């Protein structure tokens, strides 16, 4: 039984054997993400003091202006994972194409690929609102020792071996799953160590919080409009409270602790919504399901969607089980 205040390092070793493919490689990979997270956290915490806020001057493949911290975090995670010779491929929101990484050790061929949103909630960087990093891990499907291909990344979410996020907020936490529940670790900045602070995290079945950018309301499908109206009606335990930080990681984290639903639906201006299937929706869906919550595009289980492109977007509804099912019922009714 995991002990509160156990360090993340101890937890990883203790749970290594319960992992289906346990060879220590995944443990080393999560430890590498922990290391990169501390470096990025250090920079995030002093955003505003150093020249790390504002636009970097380039746009990414999504057509979004890259923030300096997007680029910094992207470089730090890629460097750390590459230097520690722990993965055979990386895909990132900030990279047009996937990166193939040859092992530096001819006697050892890496088996994992990582998909990452290096900095989630970019619009909140300059205004001191919590942001995050999201990661998703798969075993490669192509032969070990050969260069990875797109097939290694376009796997359904139900094939993930691990997923998680780092939240850079009032405190810095790593929250992740390897398919045996969800655990949260808080950084003690004085000594630079993550401690188990939130063992076995669970979405309450019901909640009273809905998170959606209502500024897009007029463009939403009728089903979503009706569900939002339902949340706002004076009836039973409603109206619910509207909370929207604009950082997926932070809205998800709050809703997982308090009970709630996050929605980024499709709309008449963006037919597939905004969020990216591979490095935003799939990892959050894996966490949600491991925490007894639910994640869908309004009709289909997110993790059963067959990806076709590296940066494809999907409508996303995620959170407390009964709330997501209610929203889906409104979507079906249209
Ligand atoms: O400003 P909008 O359109 O509501 O979008 C906010 C959503 O977009 C995101 O910022 C997209 O993520 P990135 O910041 O990684 O691009 C989510 O974190 C957030 O939930
Ligand atoms: Mg994001
Ligand atoms: Mg991002």
């Amino acid at each position: 039984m995991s002990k509160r205040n156990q360090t993340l390092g101890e937890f990883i070793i203790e749970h290594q054997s319960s992992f289906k493919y346990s060879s220590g490689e995944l443990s080393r990979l999560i430890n590498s993400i922990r290391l990169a997270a501390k470096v990025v956290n250090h920079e995030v915490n002093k955003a505003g003091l150093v020249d790390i806020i504002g636009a970097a001057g380039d746009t990414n493949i999504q057509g979004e202006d890259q923030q300096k911290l997007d680029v910094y975090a992207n470089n730090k995670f890629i460097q750390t994972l590459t230097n520690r010779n722990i993965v055979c491929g990386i895909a990132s929101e900030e990279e047009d194409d996937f990166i193939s990484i040859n092992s530096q050790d001819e006697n050892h061929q890496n088996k994992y690929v990582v998909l990452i949103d290096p900095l989630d909630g970019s619009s909140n960087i300059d205004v001191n609102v919590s942001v995050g990093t999201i990661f998703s891990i798969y075993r490669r499907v192509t032969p070990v020792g050969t260069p990875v291909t797109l097939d290694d990344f376009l796997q359904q979410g139900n094939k993930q071996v691990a997923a998680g996020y780092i939240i850079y907020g009032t405190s810095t936490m790593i929250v992740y799953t390897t398919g045996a529940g969800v655990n949260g670790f808080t950084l003690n900045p004085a000594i630079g160590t993550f401690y188990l602070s939130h063992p076995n995290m669970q979405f309450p079945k019901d909640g009273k919080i809905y998170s959606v950018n209502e500024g897009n309301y007029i463009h939403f499908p009728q089903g979503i409009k009706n569900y939002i109206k339902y949340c706002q009606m004076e009836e039973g335990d409603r109206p619910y409270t509207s909370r929207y930080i604009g950082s997926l990681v932070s809205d998800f984290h709050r809703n997982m602790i308090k009970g709630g639903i996050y929605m980024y639906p499709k709309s008449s201006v963006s037919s597939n919504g905004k969020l990216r299937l591979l490095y935003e929706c799939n990892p959050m869906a894996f966490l949600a399901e491991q925490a007894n919550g639910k994640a869908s595009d309004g009709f289909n289980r997110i993790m059963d969607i067959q990806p076709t492109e590296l940066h494809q977007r999907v409508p996303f509804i995620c959170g407390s089980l009964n709330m997501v099912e209610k929203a889906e019922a409104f979507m079906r009714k249209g």
Side-chain angles (χ1 to χ4, degrees):
M1 178 56 192
S2 312
K3 296 181 289 308
R4 213 173 245 287
N5 296 331
Q6 185 180 23
T7 70
L8 174 53
E10 291 163 347
F11 182 92
I12 290 172
I13 291 163
E14 184 188 314
H15 288 81
Q16 185 171 292
S17 54
S18 65
F19 177 65
K20 198 161 81 179
Y21 306 104
S22 84
S23 65
E25 199 174 321
L26 184 68
S27 302
R28 286 195 307 122
L29 176 43
I30 294 184
N31 271 318
S32 306
I33 290 172
R34 168 177 60 132
L35 183 69
K38 288 204 285 186
V39 176
V40 170
N41 177 58
H42 188 67
E43 215 58 28
V44 169
N45 284 348
K46 56 184 176 159
L49 280 180
V50 291
D51 181 27
I52 195 81
I53 58 173
D58 292 325
T59 56
N60 63 20
I61 192 164
Q62 344 263 335
E64 294 163 346
D65 291 334
Q66 287 181 316
Q67 303 300 303
K68 287 179 184 160
L69 210 50
D70 283 324
V71 175
Y72 178 85
N74 187 51
N75 293 342
K76 281 298 159 210
F77 278 97
I78 292 175
Q79 273 164 21
T80 307
L81 294 173
T82 307
N83 296 349
R84 290 170 67 95
N85 188 29
I86 191 64
V87 291
C88 53
I90 300 173
S92 164
E93 177 190 1
E94 305 306 336
E95 300 285 336
D96 295 5
D97 206 348
F98 64 85
I99 303 165
S100 178
I101 298 163
N102 298 328
S103 175
Q104 296 146 16
D105 169 355
E106 65 207 27
N107 305 319
H108 177 81
Q109 297 300 337
N110 298 317
K111 295 186 279 296
Y112 295 109
V113 296
V114 173
L115 299 102
I116 198 163
D117 176 355
L119 208 286
D120 178 64
S122 307
S123 63
N124 282 325
I125 296 170
D126 300 4
V127 290
N128 206 351
V129 171
S130 69
V131 293
T133 292
I134 309 174
F135 62 89
S136 170
I137 301 172
Y138 292 87
R139 285 174 71 84
R140 63 179 303 168
V141 292
T142 52
V144 166
T146 63
V148 288
T149 71
L150 192 53
D151 292 345
D152 292 307
F153 298 92
L154 298 186
Q155 300 188 52
Q156 288 172 302
N158 55 42
K159 298 281 186 322
Q160 289 174 97
V161 293
Y165 56 82
I166 296 110
I167 180 165
Y168 312 102
T170 41
S171 64
T172 295
M173 289 184 67
I174 292 185
V175 175
Y176 80 103
T177 183
T178 56
V182 176
N183 293 282
F185 302 80
T186 300
L187 180 68
N188 177 337
I191 48 179
T193 300
F194 285 95
Y195 290 92
L196 181 60
S197 53
H198 297 65
N200 196 20
M201 299 180 83
Q202 300 278 319
F203 264 102
K205 285 248 173 317
D206 285 291
K208 291 190 169 45
I209 295 170
Y210 68 101
S211 310
V212 65
N213 185 341
E214 293 187 64
N216 300 331
Y217 181 87
I218 56 165
H219 301 296
F220 286 156
Q222 195 54 47
I224 293 290
K225 287 179 178 173
N226 295 345
Y227 178 67
I228 293 173
K229 283 290 160 244
Y230 168 86
C231 293
Q232 296 168 341
M233 273 157 71
E234 296 270 354
E235 201 180 55
D237 63 348
R238 286 164 286 126
Y240 297 152
T241 295
S242 171
R243 287 281 183 278
Y244 190 69
I245 295 169
S247 297
L248 166 63
V249 163
S250 312
D251 282 310
F252 178 97
H253 188 76
R254 182 215 38 252
N255 290 351
M256 180 158 64
I257 291 172
K258 296 201 165 185
I261 185 171
Y262 170 97
M263 300 179 283
Y264 209 108
K266 69 178 192 175
S267 72
S268 53
V269 284
S270 55
S271 57
N272 279 316
K274 177 182 183 178
L275 300 181
R276 284 54 58 121
L277 174 61
L278 292 180
Y279 42 77
E280 289 174 318
C281 303
N282 269 336
M284 302 314 264
F286 190 19
L287 290 161
E289 290 192 11
Q290 284 290 315
N292 287 321
K294 188 173 185 181
S296 82
D297 63 4
F299 302 97
N300 312 295
R301 181 187 181 219
I302 288 289
M303 293 211 288
D304 290 344
I305 296 172
Q306 176 53 52
T308 53
E309 291 162 40
L310 214 47
H311 300 286
Q312 75 186 80
R313 302 173 195 263
V314 289
F316 191 56
I317 300 177
C318 181
S320 293
L321 182 68
N322 296 340
M323 297 182 86
V324 173
E325 293 190 340
K326 191 73 173 176
E328 290 174 331
F330 274 97
M331 284 294 281
R332 281 193 296 277
K333 255 189 283 170

